[in-house]
Amino acid sequence: MARTRVGVVGCGGVSEGAYLPNLAASAAVQVEAVCDVDPERARRAAQRHGVARAFTDVDAMLARADFELLVNLTPMPLHAPINRKGLRAGRHVWCEKPIATSLADGAALLEEAERRGLGLYGAPNCVLSPTFRAAAKVVGGGEIGKVCAARAKYGHGGPHAEWFYKAGGGALFDLGVYNVTTLTGLLGPARGVVALSGVARPRRTVAGAEITVEADDNTMLLLDFGDARFGSIMTGFVYPPEHDRRATIELLGTGGAVSWLGHDFAPRGIEVSRAGATGWETRATDQEGYHWSCGASYVAECLASGTRPAMTGPHAYHVLEVMLAALDAARTARYVPVRSSFPWPVYGEA
């Protein structure tokens, strides 16, 4: 079986606890090198996962290790510069969300990838789940009529590292990005956005130290999908652990509805109600091994087999533009148009 050689930059908790085990489990992946600014963390990750080479500098890894796919698992503010280095070194790139924190950097990355004939792919990978595919089939097949309204939510009490709360971080980039990806994946490119966003808890204690919060920790946005189709998203680092997580996404059509069970990063299927029918029909309860960290191994498998991935760089860029437009809309109290698009529908024909 053909294999894709992979280099991983960033050996923190997301890498060690999710990505590296997932990559190691794929028969289509050979992890050639890992990299982290902490030498001990890089060495430990390499030892635990049977990786031959460990680096502390991404430039050195790109120059001295032989691989096709760079997997970028660093903090958000480092995404764009490391993605750029990978593309300029001739590597395909998979990046944890978002691919960049500014629209200019995102556009430059897309242009770099296209110019070099390389793939740029970004988390989240929620369009890969059986739950998403089932919901997309319902929407695309017209089973619940025209979907006129959608709502989604994802929030918790806040992450563990300080950088999430600084400029370039925030709840929308960290959590709301899942819902933006899912709703645009199901309903198509957004045309514009209005939003409210702010800092509800300006001081927090993180890792034993009190910090000042700079990035949003409470955001709500309303997406315009055109033709009087709207979607709402609420996200934040201010949600209690006991809030309702049974159904976090709902699609309302002229002929029925879909309730999404669980979160889009950890789905458990959908319930479908059709006009005139009694009760709800449950579908796609088997997630077939889907995990929120499987995007890099999925892309590696596509590269090895010559298959075009369902995730695309233009979709990741569109999601970035929607989020930045939402933050701009909140600052300026206005409707902000979204200019970008992406190949849609994600699966099949419209």
Side-chain angles (χ1 to χ4, degrees):
M1 182 181 185
R3 306 180 90 182
T4 298
R5 294 168 298 178
V6 172
V8 176
V9 57
C11 298
V14 165
S15 180
E16 278 270 58
Y19 270 89
L20 281 167
N22 193 281
L23 288 164
S26 174
V29 174
Q30 175 65 46
V31 180
E32 294 286 346
V34 295
C35 178
D36 196 280
V37 292
D38 182 331
E40 178 56 24
R41 194 157 55 188
R43 184 201 64 78
R44 187 169 59 243
Q47 184 178 49
R48 284 178 178 172
H49 301 284
V51 180
R53 309 186 71 180
F55 294 85
T56 58
D57 179 76
V58 68
D59 293 313
M61 184 176 77
L62 289 167
R64 293 160 49 192
D66 194 11
F67 59 91
E68 294 85 36
L69 176 65
L70 176 68
V71 175
N72 184 356
L73 306 177
T74 60
M76 293 179 199
L78 300 178
H79 286 182
I82 290 176
N83 291 344
R84 187 179 303 112
K85 287 175 183 287
L87 292 170
R88 288 179 176 175
R91 271 51 171 223
H92 302 282
V93 172
W94 165 268
C95 183
E96 250 302 327
K97 36 74 177 173
I99 57 170
T101 57
S102 78
L103 204 57
D105 281 343
L109 290 171
L110 272 187
E111 292 168 4
E112 190 80 35
E114 183 176 1
R115 182 166 59 250
R116 295 177 181 274
L118 296 168
L120 171 65
Y121 310 98
N125 67 338
C126 35
V127 302
L128 301 181
S129 76
T131 294
F132 177 91
R133 296 199 304 269
K137 184 176 181 181
V138 171
V139 173
E143 190 174 346
I144 59 170
K146 176 183 175 181
V147 177
C148 298
R151 66 164 183 84
K153 67 173 181 177
Y154 179 23
H156 54 54
H160 57 280
E162 182 178 356
W163 64 263
F164 283 98
Y165 302 97
K166 298 302 183 181
L172 182 56
F173 277 8
D174 185 41
L175 305 182
V177 61
Y178 287 92
N179 294 161
V180 176
T181 300
T182 295
L183 290 192
T184 55
L186 291 172
L187 302 180
R191 308 281 185 83
V193 61
V194 294
L196 297 171
S197 183
V199 176
R201 292 181 56 192
R203 300 288 293 174
R204 287 180 181 252
T205 300
V206 178
E210 189 173 350
I211 66 166
T212 298
V213 177
E214 298 172 357
D216 70 290
D217 68 2
N218 193 23
T219 295
M220 296 188 183
L221 51 154
L222 185 65
L223 299 177
D224 175 9
F225 289 99
D227 196 23
R229 299 177 302 131
F230 307 124
S232 66
I233 294 172
M234 51 188 286
T235 187
F237 294 153
V238 292
Y239 291 14
E242 66 273 12
H243 76 278
D244 180 24
R245 300 183 181 189
R246 193 192 77 85
T248 63
I249 298 172
E250 187 176 29
L251 308 173
L252 302 174
T254 54
V258 170
S259 286
W260 183 297
L261 302 177
H263 288 288
D264 40 9
F265 79 91
R268 302 196 305 268
I270 60 171
E271 292 179 337
V272 182
S273 173
R274 295 181 300 281
T278 301
W280 295 76
E281 178 187 352
T282 304
R283 304 178 188 176
T285 56
D286 181 2
Q287 297 311 299
E288 302 170 8
Y290 170 81
H291 190 268
W292 60 264
S293 66
C294 72
S297 58
Y298 166 79
V299 167
E301 290 159 6
C302 288
L303 292 172
S305 65
T307 304
R308 178 174 296 183
M311 296 174 297
T312 66
H315 191 186
Y317 176 80
H318 180 75
V319 168
L320 175 63
E321 184 181 4
V322 168
M323 294 190 296
L324 290 170
L327 296 176
D328 184 26
R331 282 192 301 267
T332 60
R334 65 189 178 94
Y335 175 100
V336 177
V338 175
R339 308 296 184 187
S340 63
S341 187
F342 62 93
W344 186 81
V346 175
Y347 298 100
E349 300 296 327

